[in-house]
């Protein structure tokens, strides 16, 4: 289709766009009320973990699945899937249990940042594979767009959920449940490469979980921070209401002209 360098650039930019949208969706809403430097440090760790994780998923899951769809000969080993997702969940657990994260009870926000980076790397690898193996058409554009947006956000939700369970003291439950969700996440994203109808299962689940993730992050904010946030949101609501009322009223100049 095009040179490998161009495809890599397209996939990288797509992943960055998805990570940016994922950050703006949740993290900007609570900006100033969580440990931002710690969240940014988890972006770095997420890129490292996500790069290794995504490359292994690509070679052990994505490529065998594509070959199976084409020849019906190579079957994906489910043990590889479970092992890779389990290792990723364990490493994410150790990243989120650092003193820097636990001291501020920022497992959920740090988990969101960590997941965005992991999902961004995963999305970049999958988009690169799609661009290499598909012909240019509308379905390809739609698949790349959805992968770019959904991959970082889905992984952010999983990592944030893992952080929420860690905050509740459920360490092994956090690892096992995150592993289960990562397995389903990888399987569905591999499936939609050959059957785009799979998006009708991914998108509703993502929307429901995304609403729940706001509650997880809200619960991690201290009481004083919650009071300040309520005051800020109430003031912003009043300002929007006043602006709406003032815009609906006729201006003074127009009234004078009519007279």
């Amino acid at each position: 289709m095009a040179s490998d360098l161009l495809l890599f650039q397209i996939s990288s930019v797509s992943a960055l766009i998805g990570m940016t949208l994922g950050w703006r969706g949740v993290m900007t809403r609570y900006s100033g009320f969580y440990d931002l430097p710690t969240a940014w440090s988890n972006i770095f760790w997420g890129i490292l973990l996500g790069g290794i994780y995504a490359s292994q998923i690509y070679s052990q899951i994505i490529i065998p699945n594509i070959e199976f769809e084409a020849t019906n000969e190579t079957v994906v080993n489910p043990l590889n899937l479970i092992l890779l997702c389990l290792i990723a969940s364990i490493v994410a657990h150790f990243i989120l249990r650092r003193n820097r994260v636990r001291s501020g009870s920022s497992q959920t926000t740090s988990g969101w940042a960590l997941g965005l980076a992991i999902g961004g790397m995963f999305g970049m690898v999958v988009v690169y594979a799609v661009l290499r193996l598909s012909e240019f058409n509308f379905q390809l554009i739609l698949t790349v767009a959805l992968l770019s947006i959904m991959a970082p956000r889905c992984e952010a939700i999983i990592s944030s959920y893992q952080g929420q369970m860690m905050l509740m003291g459920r360490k092994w439950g956090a690892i096992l449940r995150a592993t289960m969700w990562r397995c389903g996440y990888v399987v569905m994203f591999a499936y939609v490469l050959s059957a785009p109808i799979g998006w009708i299962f991914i998108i509703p689940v993502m929307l429901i979980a995304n609403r729940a993730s706001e509650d997880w992050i809200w619960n991690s904010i201290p009481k004083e921070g919650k009071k300040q946030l309520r005051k800020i949101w109430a003031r912003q609501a009043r300002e929007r209401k006043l602006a709406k009322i003032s815009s609906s009223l006729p201006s003074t100049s127009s009234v004078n002209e009519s007279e």
Side-chain angles (χ1 to χ4, degrees):
M1 176 181 174
S3 67
D4 288 345
L5 178 59
L6 177 60
L7 298 183
F8 176 76
Q9 290 174 336
I10 294 173
S11 60
S12 300
V13 171
S14 300
L16 288 173
I17 292 173
M19 291 173 63
T20 302
L21 293 176
W23 186 275
R24 289 177 61 85
V26 175
M27 301 294 275
T28 53
R29 178 176 172 81
Y30 301 97
S31 179
F33 293 89
Y34 59 88
D35 190 352
L36 183 59
T38 300
W40 273 110
S41 72
N42 281 281
I43 290 286
F44 168 75
W45 290 110
I47 291 174
L48 292 181
L49 172 59
I52 300 171
Y53 173 66
S55 64
Q56 292 300 312
I57 289 293
Y58 175 77
S59 60
Q60 301 292 330
I61 308 298
I62 301 297
I63 294 301
N65 181 72
I66 293 174
E67 293 176 351
F68 174 74
E69 293 290 340
T71 63
N72 290 328
E73 294 180 359
T74 305
V75 180
V76 177
N77 188 347
L79 292 179
N80 291 341
L81 173 66
I82 296 173
L83 184 61
L84 288 172
C85 293
L86 177 61
I87 292 173
S89 299
I90 292 173
V91 175
H93 173 83
F94 282 108
I95 292 174
L96 295 177
R97 73 183 299 271
R98 291 177 300 157
N99 290 331
R100 183 177 181 180
V101 177
R102 288 186 296 170
S103 61
S105 299
S106 59
Q107 284 92 334
T108 52
T109 52
S110 294
W112 187 274
L114 178 70
L116 277 180
I118 297 174
M121 298 301 292
F122 176 84
M124 181 180 69
V125 169
V126 177
V127 168
Y128 179 75
V130 171
L131 292 175
R132 283 192 64 190
L133 302 173
S134 302
E135 296 182 358
F136 183 80
N137 51 35
F138 176 75
Q139 179 178 327
L140 175 63
I141 297 174
L142 181 62
T143 301
V144 170
L146 289 174
L147 283 171
S148 303
I149 297 172
M150 296 295 176
R153 185 172 288 271
C154 287
E155 182 61 47
I157 291 171
I158 293 172
S159 297
S160 181
Y161 176 63
Q162 185 174 355
Q164 168 67 8
M165 294 197 70
M166 291 175 64
L167 194 61
M168 296 169 59
R170 303 174 64 179
K171 298 178 181 179
W172 285 107
I175 293 174
L176 295 177
R177 292 195 182 190
T179 300
M180 178 190 70
W181 280 109
R182 283 191 173 94
C183 288
Y185 161 81
V186 171
V187 168
M188 288 306 301
F189 273 78
Y191 174 70
V192 297
L193 298 183
S194 56
I197 195 173
W199 288 114
I200 66 175
F201 301 101
I202 295 177
I203 295 175
V205 174
M206 188 278 294
L207 292 175
I208 294 172
N210 190 71
R211 290 177 61 89
S213 66
E214 295 188 6
D215 294 333
W216 306 333
I217 294 177
W218 173 258
N219 292 334
S220 68
I221 297 175
K223 291 183 178 180
E224 292 299 322
K226 290 179 180 178
K227 292 180 181 178
Q228 294 180 19
L229 265 175
R230 290 191 183 100
K231 292 179 181 178
I232 291 172
W233 290 342
R235 185 176 68 251
Q236 291 175 345
R238 289 194 299 268
E239 290 174 353
R240 287 194 297 268
K241 185 176 180 180
L242 291 173
K244 185 176 181 180
I245 293 173
S246 62
S247 63
S248 63
L249 295 175
S251 62
T252 306
S253 59
S254 62
V255 172
N256 294 333
E257 289 177 358
S258 62
E259 291 177 353

